[in-house]
Amino acid sequence: MELGVVGLPNVGKSTLFNAITRAGAESANYPFCTIEPNVGVVAVPDERLNVLGKMYNTQKITPASLKFVDIAGLVKGASRGEGLGNKFLANIRECDAIVHVVRCFTDSNVTHVDGSVNPIRDIETINLELSLADLESVNKQLEKVSKKAKQNDKEAIFQLGVLNKLAEALNAGKPAKSVVLTEDETEYSKSLFLITTKPVIYACNIDEADISKPEDEIQGVKEVKELAKAESSEVLVISAKVEQELTELDEDERAMFLADLGLAESGLDKVIKIGYKLLGQISYLTAGITEVRAWTIINGTKAPAAAGKIHTDFEKGFIKAEVVSYDDLIAAGSYTLAREAGKVRIEGKDYVVKDGDVMLFRFNV
């Protein structure tokens, strides 16, 4: 899963990126500090892997991974070349979802490009710039497709209809995902890699002093939640400063620090859970002496396609899968005991894989 991180300058975007990925992206109190896209890959926390690792006395544990792409802060006029962020929008066009960092803290020592803190205004600024950037892409396609459509090319006529629908919405400052499309039209629109078709997580960056307050009492958070609800987006309330402090602690100290703050989990854990929910993703597991590993798939994936995540030959030559749920395996104490208890099932090509399935594929090529 790949998440693109966007926001105005000085909203805590790179601080949050640093904290979550520990990748060391430069962070400072001036616009355009991030002048190259930063990329960080983090392991997805999954305690099930550690438990299975002990059960199998495995040599290697490989968690699923999450990739973050942090680009320079966008400003009003970015679609016309203002600032630096517009140069890097291409880096998030192929991301699966957008993490839009919104400033919900007041600090006189940290400048705001518009002179005051106003989360809704800031969101509207970024969303408009993303819509205009997409409009530019759509207009370029319209130029190409229009010529073919005039020659009665059926495919071009179809594409022209989709592009005109998208252009109308984007011209009005609306995201491409607001356009109602048929299944075929949606499939074509995916090839355009439009940013505003992507699911969005609004990350409200709050002051450390507000971390224990009810979320709706924190400046701007309630308003962001209402906006997000209207557009079917998700909201994450987080303190980039707290997340940064957590990176400097060991595992036991982190747990104590979170408990002291009244938090059940870190910002990274929240991002992962929300990201998986937004994108409809789950993880199945493979386990053995050599390796215990998590594999990320879309919820609803059938066994052959899930096997293809490991290797294309597994999908091509799929015969069957031996499946046991993680809970049943742990309750039994071993794979052998789970089999003896009738908890290991043989599933075929139509089996829909579930989160936490521990799987062994049989194939022939």
Side-chain angles (χ1 to χ4, degrees):
M1 183 163 62
E2 187 169 329
L3 303 179
V5 186
V6 303
L8 290 171
N10 295 344
V11 296
K13 192 166 55 65
S14 293
T15 300
L16 181 60
F17 174 85
N18 289 349
I20 290 176
T21 66
R22 304 185 192 182
E26 185 183 3
S27 175
N29 177 27
Y30 56 90
F32 316 128
C33 175
T34 306
I35 57 173
E36 293 293 341
N38 293 287
V39 178
V41 179
V42 299
V44 175
D46 192 337
E47 184 56 32
R48 297 175 301 188
L49 299 179
N50 296 326
V51 175
L52 289 174
K54 292 176 182 177
M55 176 182 285
Y56 283 85
N57 193 25
T58 193
Q59 298 170 13
K60 182 181 180 184
I61 293 178
T62 306
S65 62
L66 183 64
K67 183 177 181 181
F68 287 88
V69 180
D70 174 37
I71 68 168
L74 296 167
V75 294
K76 189 179 295 184
S79 58
R80 301 189 305 274
E82 295 293 330
L84 296 173
N86 66 303
K87 296 180 181 179
F88 307 114
L89 287 174
N91 295 91
I92 59 173
R93 287 200 179 277
E94 295 188 24
C95 290
D96 298 301
I98 301 296
V99 177
H100 184 160
V101 183
V102 186
R103 180 169 170 174
C104 292
F105 67 88
T106 301
D107 187 338
S108 58
N109 295 317
V110 180
T111 60
H112 190 291
V113 290
D114 289 325
S116 63
V117 176
N118 185 325
I120 300 303
R121 178 200 60 205
D122 294 351
I123 287 173
E124 290 173 348
T125 296
I126 295 296
N127 286 350
L128 177 59
E129 293 306 323
L130 296 180
S131 292
L132 292 174
D134 278 349
L135 179 61
E136 184 179 355
S137 296
V138 168
N139 283 338
K140 287 180 180 177
Q141 288 299 315
L142 275 169
E143 288 180 23
K144 296 178 183 178
V145 172
S146 295
K147 295 176 184 177
K148 292 183 180 179
K150 289 177 181 178
Q151 299 169 0
N152 290 322
D153 183 306
K154 289 185 179 180
E155 183 65 19
I157 292 171
F158 165 75
Q159 293 175 356
L160 186 64
V162 180
L163 290 167
N164 280 326
K165 287 182 183 180
L166 293 169
E168 183 180 356
L170 293 167
N171 262 314
K174 297 178 181 178
K177 63 185 174 186
S178 68
V179 180
V180 178
L181 300 174
T182 66
E183 190 174 332
D184 288 341
E185 289 173 335
T186 299
E187 197 59 35
Y188 167 63
S189 71
K190 289 179 182 178
S191 68
L192 302 173
F193 295 103
L194 300 179
I195 300 170
T196 60
T197 59
K198 302 181 187 303
V200 175
I201 302 170
Y202 289 111
C204 294
N205 185 16
I206 66 172
D207 192 273
E208 185 175 357
D210 292 335
I211 201 75
S212 299
K213 288 183 181 179
E215 290 183 352
D216 289 352
E217 293 181 11
I218 302 170
Q219 172 182 300
V221 172
K222 185 177 180 181
E223 290 79 4
V224 174
K225 283 185 175 181
E226 290 172 352
L227 181 149
K229 184 178 180 180
E231 60 180 48
S232 300
S233 295
E234 295 285 342
V235 176
L236 164 69
V237 179
I238 194 170
S239 169
K241 286 186 177 179
V242 168
E243 295 302 317
Q244 195 169 42
E245 290 175 40
L246 284 171
T247 65
E248 299 167 4
L249 305 175
D250 62 31
E251 190 171 341
D252 290 336
E253 289 174 328
R254 278 199 300 275
M256 290 176 61
F257 186 44
L258 287 170
D260 288 342
L261 292 172
L263 300 176
E265 56 191 349
S266 71
L268 174 59
D269 292 336
K270 291 180 181 178
V271 170
I272 291 169
K273 285 182 179 178
I274 293 174
Y276 269 58
K277 176 186 173 184
L278 260 185
L279 299 170
Q281 296 189 327
I282 60 172
S283 293
Y284 77 86
L285 314 169
T286 53
I289 295 175
T290 303
E291 183 182 39
V292 167
R293 183 164 182 164
W295 304 87
T296 301
I297 57 173
I298 299 295
N299 194 12
T301 299
K302 292 185 177 181
K309 277 284 185 177
I310 299 175
H311 197 286
T312 53
D313 285 349
F314 282 33
E315 182 173 7
K316 292 176 183 175
F318 179 89
I319 300 173
K320 63 181 180 181
E322 292 184 19
V323 185
V324 58
S325 75
Y326 170 81
D327 289 339
D328 285 344
L329 177 57
I330 298 308
S334 73
Y335 193 83
T336 300
L337 292 173
R339 187 195 295 276
E340 291 174 356
K343 298 298 183 180
V344 178
R345 312 182 308 277
I346 302 299
E347 301 288 358
K349 294 182 177 180
D350 291 330
Y351 177 69
V352 177
V353 179
K354 298 176 178 61
D355 185 64
D357 277 348
V358 181
M359 307 188 73
L360 175 63
F361 297 105
R362 303 296 183 189
F363 67 101
N364 183 33
V365 291

